Amino acid sequence: MSTTVPAPVAGVPVGPGLSMFDPIFIGIDEFGQPVYLDVIYRNILIAGEPGGGKSGLVNNICGHGVLCDNTRLVLFDAKLVELGPWRDLADAFIGPDIDQGIDVLRRLLVVATNRYTWLLANRRRKLAPGDGMSVIVTIIDELAMYSTVLGTKPQQEEFSALLRGLVSLGRACGMPVVAATQRPSWDIIPASLRDLFGYRAAFRCTSLNSSNIILGQGWAEQGYTASDISPTNQGAAYLLAEGGVPRRIKAAYLSDTDIYNIADYAAWTRRPTSTPAGDTTGWEMAA
Amino acid sequence: MSKSSPRRFAGKSTGTVTVIEARVHRSSARNARVAFILTAVVVGVLAAVVAASYWHPIVALIVGALVGVPCGAAAWLLVRIWPVLRLLWWWITEVLLAVLLLTGWVQLAGHTPMVVTLLVVALVVGVPAAVPVIRRQVIAWAWCLVVRHRLRVCFAQFIIANQSGSLPLILWARPTPVGERVWVYLRPGLSAKDLEGRLDKIAVTCHASTVLIERAAENNAAYLRFDIKRREVLTAHVGSPLVDQIDPTAPVSASPLTVPTALDLPDVDAPTITLPAQGKPAGKKPAPTTSANGSKPAASSSAPEDDVSDWI
Ligand SMILES: Nc1ncnc2c1ncn2[C@@H]1O[C@H](COP(=O)(O)OP(=O)(O)OP(=O)(O)O)[C@@H](O)[C@H]1O
Ligand SMILES: [Mg+2]
């Protein structure tokens, strides 16, 4: 990868100094105020109908992640194009290959366990920004592809089980999971996995029931239903995060040019220290 | 606050006196009388006590009466003209603005020739009207003034709070991109829950599309925030600030990709399809594939009982 990047001619690029511990800008609320999301200690599940804008939101988080100092990305995208622009910046980019996905998840679980041992040895329970340990963000677009379509039934089950382990372990050791899927009902994702995601973003759905599956039961009855989002208003969603009540938001949107510009810039700033995809030594260092 | 304190005393004492006619609104005259007596006695006694350390007690009593009676009279007057004061307080911004504008106009007209006067007025009115940013700001703040009165109308007309008819304190208002945000301090007799059932009526009264209520302070249930919405911002296109963080001229970097050549259906031989057979019935198979957009609503409506059982 580093061979394709020409040496900078004018000056040394300076990273923007973002950190994964900073709140991530994801859009505006219905009063036009900016909405930030603390992804680091939370897992977020993004769902909604096809074309609702899920990948738009996921790309915001990715874009923030690649510009962050000391952050590793693990990307799962069976559709390739949504997270593909970040593939060179990610420590692992998994396309439509469930075996590779299972391998990476196993490695992530080992890292998580090692980190907890480290925390235990340091008499702590939670990773802090000053620890100097990298944040490993796992981002999955189209979770349903791995849990229902690709591979064999046992593989899919193993994938779901490993992911469940990561989601439940990763929170306090700086390994958050961001997952997007179209409809997180039990036949697509096990309920035991879905219910571990603390934050929910519901893009447009076709029915109250679908909205309830994403946000949690009972919200539609209280008037918080993603089925009242207009189909032409892509990127509008209900976000259930801090505050405990779903908020209407409009996700920020990065055009393809923006995404590739950010990816190029991030590659440029990360160039001297970045580890090539698939390099295992990075994992041992982090652990 | 100091203005209302005599009234509060009066309210308390009449509350005990008028047990028989509990449902009757206390008249302003009665309030004023009680305020007079209370203030006169309290101030008089205090003055007398202080005076007694300098003069003979009888002289001190006279001094106390001389001080107490005017104070009581002042309190009486305050309570009698309280409705007017309240009205003035409600309209104080408009009154001040009008006074300012009128004085400005009179001073201008008195000190400059006609042409200059007209020119200045044209500038003062024309520039904000012509520059969209300023115009929008002016209109937004004007709505803030309007909305405080409209909210008061709501409270006075159809949100009856308590017997004495005290209205919530309508505090600061400021524009938001969708309308206005007003902070309100509720008086006894109202709660956020009471208001939540009447949001549609409040929206109508404020000429708005919707109104939302939120608590403005975690530790005080009386302190509320009204969000009045007139416009929809969620249809706007939101850019990301990340774009400003980067240098778009960074060199292009991308690892080489091997691009497949089988880009059309005939290019792919039938046996090479490797979509694995599922453990599920064949009818379910198309639902999870991303391309089957049309089948998704069908899937969602066909499995409601599964979803419900899933929640248990
Ligand atoms: N925040 C947004 N603002 C404006 N337009 C948006 C926004 N998000 C998405 N869109 C529009 O909607 C289209 C589909 O969005 P996106 O690819 O994110 O949907 P998706 O939910 O990921 O769909 P799928 O389930 O098929 O992956 C985009 O191409 C874009 O034109
Ligand atoms: Mg997508």
Side-chain angles (χ1 to χ4, degrees):
Chain A
M1 167 198 155
S2 50
T3 50
T4 60
V5 181
V9 272
V12 179
V14 178
L18 290 173
S19 154
M20 213 53 205
F21 288 88
D22 295 335
I24 299 178
F25 175 85
I26 57 158
I28 57 169
D29 67 7
E30 57 182 319
F31 307 112
Q33 308 295 320
V35 178
Y36 295 94
L37 204 60
D38 268 316
V39 168
I40 175 76
Y41 293 129
R42 296 287 172 173
N43 302 299
I44 173 164
L45 179 66
I46 301 163
E49 69 170 15
K54 301 181 294 292
S55 305
L57 177 55
V58 166
N59 269 315
N60 275 311
I61 300 175
C62 269
H64 184 100
V66 297
L67 293 179
C68 282
D69 182 34
N70 211 1
T71 300
R72 293 175 191 281
L73 294 177
V74 177
L75 305 178
F76 289 75
D77 181 13
K79 219 165 133 189
L80 292 174
V81 287
E82 301 286 12
L83 303 180
W86 318 109
R87 67 186 184 278
D88 295 334
L89 299 154
D91 282 68
F93 176 75
I94 288 100
D97 182 350
I98 195 163
D99 286 321
Q100 213 187 338
I102 290 174
D103 281 351
V104 170
L105 281 182
R106 283 216 187 96
R107 280 164 62 200
L108 284 171
L109 273 176
V110 172
V111 175
T113 322
N114 291 350
R115 283 190 175 194
Y116 281 114
T117 318
W118 183 88
L119 283 173
L120 180 68
N122 284 277
R123 300 176 152 239
R124 296 244 311 280
R125 292 191 296 176
K126 194 167 145 185
L127 205 73
D131 287 333
M133 222 180 268
S134 67
V135 176
I136 305 173
V137 192
T138 307
I139 299 178
I140 307 174
D141 201 357
E142 289 315 333
L143 178 53
M145 284 300 281
Y146 298 97
S147 61
T148 52
V149 180
L150 299 168
T152 60
K153 190 88 185 152
Q155 280 179 313
Q156 294 163 0
E157 267 162 16
E158 182 172 16
F159 185 91
S160 295
L162 288 171
L163 185 62
R164 184 153 68 229
L166 180 62
V167 172
S168 56
L169 278 186
R171 190 190 64 84
C173 65
M175 297 171 65
V177 178
V178 177
T181 187
Q182 286 168 351
R183 190 169 189 271
S185 54
W186 69 276
D187 49 337
I188 309 218
I189 308 169
S192 52
L193 170 57
R194 179 190 61 210
D195 290 348
L196 294 179
F197 287 90
Y199 284 180
R200 311 291 177 94
F203 286 85
R204 196 186 113 87
C205 302
T206 38
S207 68
L208 298 189
N209 198 9
S210 304
S211 175
N212 262 348
I213 291 176
I214 305 168
L215 292 175
Q217 204 180 20
W219 284 118
E221 287 69 30
Q222 293 180 46
Y224 301 98
T225 161
S227 58
D228 66 14
I229 295 170
S230 149
T232 52
N233 190 11
Q234 287 133 330
Y238 276 90
L239 176 73
L240 182 60
E242 294 99 351
V245 175
R247 276 200 289 175
R248 293 182 64 199
I249 63 158
K250 172 83 174 206
Y253 189 66
L254 289 167
S255 68
D256 292 359
T257 330
D258 293 338
I259 289 176
Y260 277 100
N261 280 347
I262 294 175
D264 288 342
Y265 180 77
W268 190 30
T269 52
R270 282 181 168 217
R271 185 180 46 86
T273 53
S274 66
T275 45
D279 179 10
T280 44
T281 56
W283 299 99
E284 318 310 331
M285 275 156 53
Chain B
M1 226 47 228
S2 60
K3 275 180 194 167
S4 66
S5 57
R7 194 160 166 270
R8 224 167 6 154
F9 283 143
K12 228 191 223 161
S13 65
T14 44
T16 55
V17 172
T18 57
V19 179
I20 328 146
E21 35 174 48
R23 264 157 224 280
V24 182
H25 270 283
R26 292 170 313 225
S27 68
S28 163
R30 178 188 294 267
N31 277 344
R33 213 157 46 232
V34 175
F36 172 79
I37 295 171
L38 263 181
T39 318
V41 168
V42 170
V43 174
V45 167
L46 275 180
V49 168
V50 174
S53 56
Y54 296 101
W55 298 303
H56 190 273
I58 296 183
V59 183
L61 266 186
I62 296 171
V63 169
L66 281 182
V67 176
V69 169
C71 283
W76 179 86
L77 192 71
L78 207 64
V79 175
R80 280 322 294 262
I81 63 165
W82 175 249
V84 181
L85 285 183
R86 204 162 60 150
L87 208 66
L88 271 181
W89 172 246
W90 288 338
W91 291 92
I92 190 85
T93 329
E94 285 84 347
V95 170
L96 282 183
L97 272 179
V99 167
L100 212 72
L101 285 180
L102 275 179
T103 356
W105 166 255
V106 170
Q107 292 292 324
L108 202 67
H111 289 88
T112 53
M114 195 60 178
V115 187
V116 182
T117 312
L118 286 181
L119 205 72
V120 171
V121 170
L123 273 181
V124 166
V125 176
V127 168
V131 183
V133 183
I134 306 180
R135 187 177 60 223
R136 275 198 291 272
Q137 279 292 315
V138 170
I139 293 176
W141 282 102
W143 266 112
C144 285
L145 287 181
V146 173
V147 106
R148 295 178 75 235
H149 294 297
R150 299 312 297 170
L151 273 183
R152 208 184 50 248
V153 169
C154 294
F155 288 123
Q157 296 294 320
F158 61 89
I159 307 177
I160 289 95
N162 51 25
Q163 286 193 9
S164 61
S166 56
L167 299 178
L169 302 176
I170 296 167
L171 307 170
W172 181 238
R174 74 171 178 76
T176 63
V178 288
E180 298 85 37
R181 182 167 282 184
V182 188
W183 283 265
V184 172
Y185 196 89
L186 297 184
R187 306 285 289 274
L190 264 186
S191 75
K193 271 270 175 310
D194 293 335
L195 296 173
E196 257 155 27
R198 296 184 168 121
L199 289 182
D200 41 352
K201 286 186 197 164
I202 300 180
V204 169
T205 316
C206 295
H207 312 296
S209 119
T210 50
V211 174
L212 274 183
I213 298 182
E214 239 177 82
R215 269 170 78 151
E218 280 294 317
N219 47 11
N220 191 343
Y223 192 31
L224 298 184
R225 203 179 72 194
F226 282 61
D227 273 303
I228 290 129
K229 275 185 72 179
R230 305 179 189 287
R231 292 173 287 275
E232 184 62 89
V233 281
L234 291 185
T235 50
H237 182 95
V238 185
S240 171
L242 293 177
V243 178
D244 308 323
Q245 299 269 329
I246 59 157
D247 175 5
T249 59
V252 170
S253 92
S255 57
L257 282 173
T258 44
V259 181
T261 47
L263 296 179
D264 203 355
L265 185 57
D267 302 338
V268 183
D269 300 333
T272 59
I273 297 171
T274 50
L275 257 187
Q278 308 290 301
K280 302 195 170 182
K284 282 243 173 185
K285 213 167 108 190
T289 58
T290 41
S291 61
N293 279 5
S295 72
K296 190 185 157 268
S300 63
S301 60
S302 73
E305 69 280 5
D306 298 336
D307 298 325
V308 172
S309 69
D310 190 32
W311 285 106
I312 304 168

